[in-house]
Amino acid sequence: MIIPQFWAEGRAQHRTRGRQVTIRRFGWSEVSEAEAQANADLRAQEALERVLKGDKLLRREPKVPYNGAEGVPIREEIVSHHGETIVTRNAYGARCLNTPNVLFADIDLAMDSPLWIKFLPILISLALLVIALWQHPAWRALWAVVVSLCIGWFVGRLVAAGIHRLWVGGRDGMEKLARKKMDAFIAQNPDWHLRLYRTPAGFRVLVMHRTFEPGEAAVAEFFAALGTDPVYVRMCLNQQCFRARVSPKPWRAGITGHIRPQSGAWPVAPETLPARNEWIQKYEAAAQHYAACNFIGTLGSHKVDPAAQAVQSLHDELCRATEALMLA
Protein backbone atom coordinates (compact mmCIF):
# COMPACT_ATOMS: atom_id res chain seq x y z
CA MET A 1 0.00 0.00 0.00
CA ILE A 2 1.40 3.36 -1.03
CA ILE A 3 -0.33 6.62 -0.11
CA PRO A 4 2.31 9.30 -0.76
CA GLN A 5 2.51 12.69 0.86
CA PHE A 6 4.44 14.35 -1.99
CA TRP A 7 3.47 14.59 -5.66
CA ALA A 8 5.00 16.10 -8.79
CA GLU A 9 4.51 16.01 -12.57
CA GLY A 10 7.33 15.31 -15.02
CA ARG A 11 7.52 16.01 -18.75
CA ALA A 12 9.54 14.31 -21.48
CA GLN A 13 9.67 15.52 -25.10
CA HIS A 14 10.97 14.26 -28.41
CA ARG A 15 11.03 16.16 -31.73
CA THR A 16 11.68 14.57 -35.10
CA ARG A 17 10.85 15.71 -38.64
CA GLY A 18 8.84 18.67 -37.37
CA ARG A 19 6.70 16.49 -35.08
CA GLN A 20 6.89 16.82 -31.32
CA VAL A 21 5.79 14.20 -28.83
CA THR A 22 5.21 15.32 -25.22
CA ILE A 23 4.55 12.87 -22.41
CA ARG A 24 3.58 13.87 -18.87
CA ARG A 25 3.60 11.55 -15.88
CA PHE A 26 3.08 11.93 -12.15
CA GLY A 27 5.65 10.98 -9.55
CA TRP A 28 5.25 10.47 -5.83
CA SER A 29 7.25 10.08 -2.65
CA GLU A 30 6.80 9.59 1.07
CA VAL A 31 10.10 11.44 1.64
CA SER A 32 10.33 14.72 -0.28
CA GLU A 33 9.14 16.80 -3.23
CA ALA A 34 12.54 16.34 -4.87
CA GLU A 35 12.18 12.56 -4.82
CA ALA A 36 8.64 12.88 -6.19
CA GLN A 37 9.94 15.03 -9.06
CA ALA A 38 12.72 12.56 -9.84
CA ASN A 39 10.16 9.75 -9.91
CA ALA A 40 7.91 11.79 -12.22
CA ASP A 41 10.75 12.59 -14.62
CA LEU A 42 11.80 8.94 -14.74
CA ARG A 43 8.25 7.71 -15.40
CA ALA A 44 7.77 10.34 -18.13
CA GLN A 45 11.00 9.32 -19.86
CA GLU A 46 10.12 5.62 -19.69
CA ALA A 47 6.67 6.30 -21.12
CA LEU A 48 8.15 8.42 -23.92
CA GLU A 49 10.50 5.61 -24.92
CA ARG A 50 7.56 3.20 -25.09
CA VAL A 51 5.54 5.63 -27.23
CA LEU A 52 8.45 6.07 -29.64
CA LYS A 53 8.60 2.28 -29.98
CA GLY A 54 4.95 2.23 -31.04
CA ASP A 55 3.08 1.58 -27.78
CA LYS A 56 -0.25 3.41 -27.49
CA LEU A 57 -0.20 5.18 -24.14
CA LEU A 58 -1.94 8.20 -22.66
CA ARG A 59 0.11 11.32 -23.31
CA ARG A 60 -0.98 12.73 -19.94
CA GLU A 61 -2.21 10.90 -16.87
CA PRO A 62 -5.51 12.13 -15.40
CA LYS A 63 -5.26 13.77 -11.99
CA VAL A 64 -7.75 11.73 -10.00
CA PRO A 65 -7.78 10.98 -6.26
CA TYR A 66 -8.94 7.37 -6.09
CA ASN A 67 -8.17 4.27 -8.15
CA GLY A 68 -6.75 6.39 -10.94
CA ALA A 69 -4.46 5.49 -13.83
CA GLU A 70 -2.82 2.10 -13.63
CA GLY A 71 0.27 2.22 -11.46
CA VAL A 72 -0.67 5.47 -9.72
CA PRO A 73 -1.33 5.26 -5.96
CA ILE A 74 -4.26 6.72 -4.05
CA ARG A 75 -3.96 10.49 -4.30
CA GLU A 76 -5.66 11.78 -1.16
CA GLU A 77 -4.77 14.04 1.73
CA ILE A 78 -3.30 12.08 4.64
CA VAL A 79 -5.24 12.95 7.79
CA SER A 80 -3.44 10.67 10.25
CA HIS A 81 -1.11 7.66 10.60
CA HIS A 82 -1.82 4.71 12.92
CA GLY A 83 1.04 2.27 12.42
CA GLU A 84 0.53 0.74 8.98
CA THR A 85 -3.00 2.12 8.82
CA ILE A 86 -3.52 5.49 7.15
CA VAL A 87 -6.62 7.69 7.33
CA THR A 88 -7.15 9.87 4.24
CA ARG A 89 -9.75 12.37 3.04
CA ASN A 90 -11.45 11.17 -0.15
CA ALA A 91 -12.63 13.05 -3.22
CA TYR A 92 -15.88 14.27 -1.64
CA GLY A 93 -14.39 15.05 1.78
CA ALA A 94 -15.15 11.99 3.92
CA ARG A 95 -12.41 10.25 5.91
CA CYS A 96 -11.36 6.75 4.83
CA LEU A 97 -9.34 4.10 6.64
CA ASN A 98 -6.73 2.35 4.47
CA THR A 99 -5.00 -0.81 5.66
CA PRO A 100 -2.55 -3.09 3.82
CA ASN A 101 -3.68 -6.38 5.34
CA VAL A 102 -6.91 -6.22 7.40
CA LEU A 103 -9.78 -7.42 5.24
CA PHE A 104 -12.90 -5.27 4.79
CA ALA A 105 -15.81 -5.80 2.40
CA ASP A 106 -18.90 -3.65 1.84
CA ILE A 107 -22.08 -5.27 0.51
CA ASP A 108 -24.47 -2.93 -1.28
CA LEU A 109 -28.13 -3.94 -0.93
CA ALA A 110 -29.06 -2.16 -4.18
CA MET A 111 -29.17 -5.58 -5.82
CA ASP A 112 -28.62 -5.67 -9.54
CA SER A 113 -31.47 -6.91 -11.71
CA PRO A 114 -31.18 -9.87 -14.07
CA LEU A 115 -30.20 -8.88 -17.61
CA TRP A 116 -33.66 -9.55 -19.05
CA ILE A 117 -35.24 -7.08 -16.60
CA LYS A 118 -32.76 -4.39 -17.66
CA PHE A 119 -33.69 -4.86 -21.31
CA LEU A 120 -37.45 -4.96 -20.64
CA PRO A 121 -38.06 -1.19 -21.18
CA ILE A 122 -36.35 -1.39 -24.58
CA LEU A 123 -38.37 -4.44 -25.62
CA ILE A 124 -41.66 -2.85 -24.54
CA SER A 125 -40.78 0.37 -26.37
CA LEU A 126 -40.06 -1.49 -29.59
CA ALA A 127 -43.18 -3.62 -29.22
CA LEU A 128 -45.37 -0.55 -28.74
CA LEU A 129 -43.77 1.10 -31.76
CA VAL A 130 -44.43 -1.96 -33.98
CA ILE A 131 -48.08 -2.11 -32.84
CA ALA A 132 -48.54 1.63 -33.46
CA LEU A 133 -47.08 1.44 -36.95
CA TRP A 134 -49.10 -1.64 -37.84
CA GLN A 135 -52.45 -0.36 -36.55
CA HIS A 136 -52.00 3.29 -37.55
CA PRO A 137 -49.87 3.88 -40.69
CA ALA A 138 -50.23 7.62 -40.14
CA TRP A 139 -48.06 7.23 -37.07
CA ARG A 140 -45.05 6.70 -39.30
CA ALA A 141 -44.30 10.39 -39.03
CA LEU A 142 -41.12 11.10 -37.06
CA TRP A 143 -42.92 12.80 -34.19
CA ALA A 144 -45.24 9.83 -33.78
CA VAL A 145 -42.30 7.41 -33.68
CA VAL A 146 -40.64 9.50 -30.96
CA VAL A 147 -43.85 9.72 -28.92
CA SER A 148 -44.51 5.99 -29.10
CA LEU A 149 -40.92 5.18 -28.09
CA CYS A 150 -41.09 7.57 -25.12
CA ILE A 151 -44.40 6.12 -23.93
CA GLY A 152 -43.07 2.61 -24.34
CA TRP A 153 -39.89 3.46 -22.41
CA PHE A 154 -41.86 5.01 -19.54
CA VAL A 155 -44.27 2.06 -19.32
CA GLY A 156 -41.36 -0.38 -19.62
CA ARG A 157 -39.50 1.25 -16.71
CA LEU A 158 -42.58 0.97 -14.49
CA VAL A 159 -43.10 -2.67 -15.42
CA ALA A 160 -39.41 -3.51 -14.94
CA ALA A 161 -39.34 -1.82 -11.52
CA GLY A 162 -42.39 -3.80 -10.41
CA ILE A 163 -40.90 -7.08 -11.63
CA HIS A 164 -37.61 -6.27 -9.89
CA ARG A 165 -39.41 -5.70 -6.57
CA LEU A 166 -41.22 -9.02 -6.95
CA TRP A 167 -37.98 -10.75 -7.92
CA VAL A 168 -36.20 -9.46 -4.81
CA GLY A 169 -39.18 -10.12 -2.53
CA GLY A 170 -39.42 -13.68 -3.79
CA ARG A 171 -35.91 -14.23 -2.46
CA ASP A 172 -36.69 -12.97 1.06
CA GLY A 173 -35.59 -9.45 0.32
CA MET A 174 -32.18 -7.99 -0.34
CA GLU A 175 -31.14 -7.81 3.31
CA LYS A 176 -32.10 -11.40 4.08
CA LEU A 177 -30.36 -12.57 0.92
CA ALA A 178 -27.15 -10.80 1.95
CA ARG A 179 -27.32 -12.40 5.40
CA LYS A 180 -27.87 -15.79 3.82
CA LYS A 181 -24.69 -15.33 1.79
CA MET A 182 -22.74 -14.56 4.95
CA ASP A 183 -24.23 -17.54 6.80
CA ALA A 184 -23.45 -19.82 3.86
CA PHE A 185 -19.85 -18.59 3.75
CA ILE A 186 -19.35 -19.20 7.49
CA ALA A 187 -20.92 -22.66 7.21
CA GLN A 188 -18.19 -23.54 4.70
CA ASN A 189 -15.44 -21.62 6.55
CA PRO A 190 -16.18 -22.01 10.30
CA ASP A 191 -12.67 -20.90 11.32
CA TRP A 192 -13.30 -17.40 9.93
CA HIS A 193 -14.35 -14.62 12.32
CA LEU A 194 -16.60 -11.98 10.69
CA ARG A 195 -17.58 -8.78 12.42
CA LEU A 196 -20.75 -7.28 10.88
CA TYR A 197 -21.83 -3.66 10.58
CA ARG A 198 -24.87 -1.96 9.07
CA THR A 199 -24.12 0.83 6.63
CA PRO A 200 -26.57 3.25 4.95
CA ALA A 201 -26.38 1.15 1.77
CA GLY A 202 -26.06 -2.35 3.22
CA PHE A 203 -23.46 -4.21 5.27
CA ARG A 204 -19.77 -3.98 6.08
CA VAL A 205 -17.79 -7.06 7.03
CA LEU A 206 -14.48 -6.94 8.90
CA VAL A 207 -12.46 -10.18 9.06
CA MET A 208 -10.83 -10.67 12.45
CA HIS A 209 -9.12 -14.08 12.62
CA ARG A 210 -6.03 -13.26 10.52
CA THR A 211 -4.54 -10.75 8.11
CA PHE A 212 -4.59 -11.08 4.29
CA GLU A 213 -2.72 -9.95 1.21
CA PRO A 214 -5.13 -8.34 -1.30
CA GLY A 215 -4.10 -10.75 -4.06
CA GLU A 216 -4.76 -13.94 -2.09
CA ALA A 217 -7.13 -16.51 -3.56
CA ALA A 218 -8.97 -16.59 -0.23
CA VAL A 219 -9.74 -12.87 -0.57
CA ALA A 220 -11.14 -13.30 -4.09
CA GLU A 221 -13.32 -16.22 -2.92
CA PHE A 222 -14.56 -14.18 0.06
CA PHE A 223 -15.48 -11.20 -2.16
CA ALA A 224 -17.26 -13.44 -4.66
CA ALA A 225 -19.21 -15.33 -1.99
CA LEU A 226 -20.52 -12.12 -0.39
CA GLY A 227 -21.18 -10.24 -3.65
CA THR A 228 -18.74 -7.41 -2.92
CA ASP A 229 -18.81 -4.29 -5.11
CA PRO A 230 -16.60 -5.07 -8.17
CA VAL A 231 -15.16 -1.53 -8.21
CA TYR A 232 -13.94 -2.03 -4.64
CA VAL A 233 -12.48 -5.42 -5.57
CA ARG A 234 -10.45 -3.85 -8.40
CA MET A 235 -9.29 -1.06 -6.08
CA CYS A 236 -7.96 -3.59 -3.57
CA LEU A 237 -5.85 -5.23 -6.27
CA ASN A 238 -4.68 -2.01 -7.93
CA GLN A 239 -3.77 -0.24 -4.69
CA GLN A 240 -2.80 -3.35 -2.68
CA CYS A 241 -4.90 -2.37 0.32
CA PHE A 242 -8.33 -2.63 1.90
CA ARG A 243 -10.45 0.41 2.63
CA ALA A 244 -13.47 1.60 4.61
CA ARG A 245 -15.20 4.98 4.83
CA VAL A 246 -15.20 6.04 8.51
CA SER A 247 -17.09 9.35 8.44
CA PRO A 248 -20.45 10.34 6.92
CA LYS A 249 -21.01 11.18 3.28
CA PRO A 250 -21.38 15.00 3.29
CA TRP A 251 -24.80 15.15 1.59
CA ARG A 252 -26.19 12.66 4.12
CA ALA A 253 -25.00 14.95 6.93
CA GLY A 254 -26.73 18.01 5.46
CA ILE A 255 -23.68 19.49 3.70
CA THR A 256 -24.75 20.78 0.30
CA GLY A 257 -21.57 22.39 -1.09
CA HIS A 258 -18.57 20.52 -2.57
CA ILE A 259 -15.08 20.31 -1.12
CA ARG A 260 -12.59 22.55 -2.92
CA PRO A 261 -11.24 21.88 -5.43
CA GLN A 262 -14.17 19.78 -6.57
CA SER A 263 -11.91 17.15 -8.18
CA GLY A 264 -10.72 16.23 -4.68
CA ALA A 265 -7.23 15.28 -5.87
CA TRP A 266 -4.33 16.05 -3.54
CA PRO A 267 -2.28 18.22 -3.26
CA VAL A 268 -4.25 21.38 -3.95
CA ALA A 269 -3.13 24.84 -5.02
CA PRO A 270 -2.27 27.08 -2.03
CA GLU A 271 -4.91 29.65 -3.02
CA THR A 272 -7.66 27.01 -2.65
CA LEU A 273 -6.65 25.94 0.88
CA PRO A 274 -8.70 28.55 2.82
CA ALA A 275 -11.94 27.55 1.08
CA ARG A 276 -11.08 23.87 1.46
CA ASN A 277 -10.31 24.20 5.18
CA GLU A 278 -13.51 26.18 5.75
CA TRP A 279 -15.52 23.40 4.08
CA ILE A 280 -13.75 20.71 6.14
CA GLN A 281 -14.46 22.57 9.38
CA LYS A 282 -18.15 22.79 8.54
CA TYR A 283 -18.24 19.13 7.47
CA GLU A 284 -16.48 17.79 10.57
CA ALA A 285 -18.87 19.72 12.83
CA ALA A 286 -21.88 18.16 11.06
CA ALA A 287 -20.26 14.70 11.03
CA GLN A 288 -20.28 14.54 14.85
CA HIS A 289 -24.02 13.83 14.77
CA TYR A 290 -23.79 10.72 12.57
CA ALA A 291 -22.23 7.26 12.43
CA ALA A 292 -20.65 5.80 9.31
CA CYS A 293 -21.84 2.32 10.33
CA ASN A 294 -23.43 0.48 13.26
CA PHE A 295 -22.02 -2.71 14.80
CA ILE A 296 -24.63 -5.51 14.71
CA GLY A 297 -22.83 -8.74 15.66
CA THR A 298 -20.31 -11.44 14.78
CA LEU A 299 -20.28 -14.71 12.86
CA GLY A 300 -17.97 -17.70 12.97
CA SER A 301 -15.07 -18.37 15.31
CA HIS A 302 -13.74 -16.19 18.10
CA LYS A 303 -10.16 -16.06 16.81
CA VAL A 304 -8.73 -12.54 16.83
CA ASP A 305 -5.49 -11.46 15.19
CA PRO A 306 -3.74 -8.62 17.08
CA ALA A 307 -3.32 -6.52 13.91
CA ALA A 308 -7.00 -6.94 13.05
CA GLN A 309 -7.93 -6.06 16.64
CA ALA A 310 -5.99 -2.78 16.43
CA VAL A 311 -7.64 -1.81 13.14
CA GLN A 312 -11.07 -2.80 14.46
CA SER A 313 -10.69 -0.57 17.52
CA LEU A 314 -9.64 2.39 15.39
CA HIS A 315 -12.39 1.72 12.84
CA ASP A 316 -15.14 1.52 15.47
CA GLU A 317 -13.94 4.70 17.17
CA LEU A 318 -13.79 6.71 13.94
CA CYS A 319 -17.10 5.34 12.64
CA ARG A 320 -18.77 5.72 16.07
CA ALA A 321 -20.03 2.22 15.34
CA THR A 322 -21.28 1.43 18.85
CA GLU A 323 -23.07 4.74 19.48
CA ALA A 324 -26.81 5.30 19.00
CA LEU A 325 -26.45 7.69 16.08
CA MET A 326 -28.17 7.97 12.72
CA LEU A 327 -26.30 6.42 9.80
CA ALA A 328 -24.97 8.71 7.09
Side-chain angles (χ1 to χ4, degrees):
M1 179 180 75
I2 303 175
I3 304 178
Q5 181 176 353
F6 301 99
W7 287 85
E9 187 175 42
R11 183 174 66 173
Q13 292 180 321
H14 178 80
R15 177 180 289 274
T16 180
R17 298 177 183 178
R19 176 175 172 266
Q20 180 171 292
V21 177
T22 302
I23 301 294
R24 291 179 173 86
R25 288 294 183 267
F26 292 117
W28 52 88
S29 170
E30 299 180 29
V31 178
S32 67
E33 291 183 4
E35 186 175 273
Q37 187 63 60
N39 181 21
D41 294 339
L42 177 61
R43 293 186 70 241
Q45 186 61 42
E46 291 174 345
L48 176 62
E49 292 172 1
R50 290 182 59 189
V51 169
L52 295 177
K53 290 178 182 178
D55 291 352
K56 293 184 178 181
L57 302 177
L58 289 174
R59 299 297 174 93
R60 188 170 192 168
E61 287 177 324
K63 186 179 180 181
V64 294
Y66 173 72
N67 198 29
E70 184 177 355
V72 178
I74 294 172
R75 187 172 185 149
E76 296 177 347
E77 178 187 7
I78 296 174
V79 177
S80 58
H81 289 267
H82 307 267
E84 290 188 307
T85 301
I86 298 176
V87 177
T88 59
R89 192 172 304 280
N90 71 9
Y92 51 78
R95 286 174 277 116
C96 293
L97 182 152
N98 305 270
T99 168
N101 56 12
V102 177
L103 178 52
F104 283 92
D106 275 8
I107 304 165
D108 194 343
L109 295 184
M111 187 184 300
D112 209 7
S113 302
L115 195 60
W116 68 270
I117 294 182
K118 291 182 178 180
F119 279 104
L120 195 58
I122 298 175
L123 296 176
I124 291 179
S125 296
L126 293 176
L128 184 59
L129 176 61
V130 170
I131 292 172
L133 294 177
W134 180 45
Q135 295 290 336
H136 305 284
W139 275 50
R140 291 173 186 172
L142 179 59
W143 69 267
V145 170
V146 172
V147 169
S148 60
L149 283 174
C150 290
I151 294 174
W153 178 258
F154 177 74
V155 173
R157 289 290 297 270
L158 292 178
V159 173
I163 293 176
H164 176 70
R165 285 193 293 271
L166 292 174
W167 181 76
V168 172
R171 288 162 174 74
D172 300 323
M174 293 182 289
E175 183 171 339
K176 290 182 179 179
L177 182 57
R179 290 300 297 262
K180 284 182 179 180
K181 289 181 179 180
M182 298 179 209
D183 292 338
F185 180 84
I186 282 297
Q188 295 180 353
N189 301 274
D191 58 322
W192 283 54
H193 177 182
L194 306 185
R195 187 173 172 89
L196 309 183
Y197 301 85
R198 195 69 165 85
T199 67
F203 293 100
R204 175 173 297 166
V205 183
L206 168 57
V207 181
M208 298 292 296
H209 67 287
R210 74 171 179 92
T211 57
F212 295 82
E213 294 297 323
E216 281 188 49
V219 172
E221 293 168 2
F222 172 71
F223 284 158
L226 269 61
T228 307
D229 175 19
V231 174
Y232 175 76
V233 173
R234 290 197 300 273
M235 187 284 302
C236 292
L237 291 174
N238 289 345
Q239 307 292 356
Q240 286 297 292
C241 72
F242 304 103
R243 182 173 167 97
R245 179 175 57 82
V246 293
S247 69
K249 290 187 174 180
W251 52 92
R252 291 176 180 161
I255 303 296
T256 54
H258 293 283
I259 193 171
R260 293 290 183 266
Q262 195 167 335
S263 70
W266 185 261
V268 301
E271 59 269 20
T272 66
L273 277 174
R276 177 185 175 88
N277 291 336
E278 182 180 354
W279 185 96
I280 290 174
Q281 185 176 13
K282 183 188 300 184
Y283 164 75
E284 293 293 354
Q288 295 302 310
H289 303 289
Y290 299 90
C293 63
N294 291 145
F295 172 66
I296 55 177
T298 62
L299 291 174
S301 73
H302 298 288
K303 299 176 185 177
V304 176
D305 182 272
Q309 177 70 65
V311 170
Q312 177 253 307
S313 297
L314 176 63
H315 168 270
D316 287 8
E317 177 185 351
L318 295 177
C319 290
R320 310 183 75 176
T322 58
E323 300 181 38
L325 294 173
M326 184 181 300
L327 290 174

